[in-house]
Amino acid sequence: STILLDRVPQLVEDLLFAKRAGHGLSLTDVVAMAAALEQLIFDETLELLEVAYAFNMRQLSELVNGQVLLDILDSYMLLFEQGSVANLTDPLKHHLIKKRRLGQDT
């Protein structure tokens, strides 16, 4: 997603630059890059999931039924698809977009 690309750390950029400059990458470089990307993906996923719970007025520790889970996942997917333009602070706007997207009341 675009959010992920906006947050690529300097380490990954430097490693990719070394590769393009013809210096190649060692196994250690590749492992470091993979670990950095894995952490970025995890962090982004966690942030969007936390916002999706909040936008559906649910606590992260709360047990939810199947319908509530689907509502949370719909919110998560909408935020994910929006990428870096996703508004992570306005639940009302989110629900209006979600309602239009799903063609139903939320």
Side-chain angles (χ1 to χ4, degrees):
S1 115
T2 308
I3 294 173
L4 180 64
L5 293 177
D6 291 343
R7 295 168 47 183
V8 173
Q10 190 64 43
L11 167 67
V12 175
E13 289 180 14
D14 290 345
L15 291 172
L16 292 175
F17 178 77
K19 170 88 170 113
R20 284 191 296 262
H23 301 297
L25 296 174
S26 70
L27 179 58
T28 303
D29 293 338
V30 172
V31 169
M33 185 169 56
L37 289 173
E38 179 182 28
Q39 188 62 49
L40 282 173
I41 291 166
F42 176 79
D43 292 346
E44 177 185 357
T45 299
L46 185 59
E47 178 184 10
L48 294 181
L49 195 53
E50 288 171 347
V51 171
Y53 265 80
F55 280 2
N56 285 278
M57 296 180 290
R58 302 296 174 172
Q59 299 295 317
L60 295 174
S61 60
E62 183 178 345
L63 295 177
V64 296
N65 66 32
Q67 184 55 53
V68 173
L69 178 60
L70 290 176
D71 289 340
I72 292 168
L73 291 175
D74 283 338
S75 290
Y76 169 83
M77 290 305 300
L78 178 59
L79 293 168
F80 180 81
E81 290 170 359
Q82 290 174 327
S84 63
V85 300
N87 185 327
L88 304 181
T89 60
D90 189 348
L92 182 59
K93 182 176 180 181
H94 171 79
H95 283 285
L96 290 172
I97 294 169
K98 185 176 168 183
K99 182 178 177 182
R100 280 195 311 261
R101 178 179 172 249
L102 298 176
Q104 64 186 28
D105 291 329
T106 55

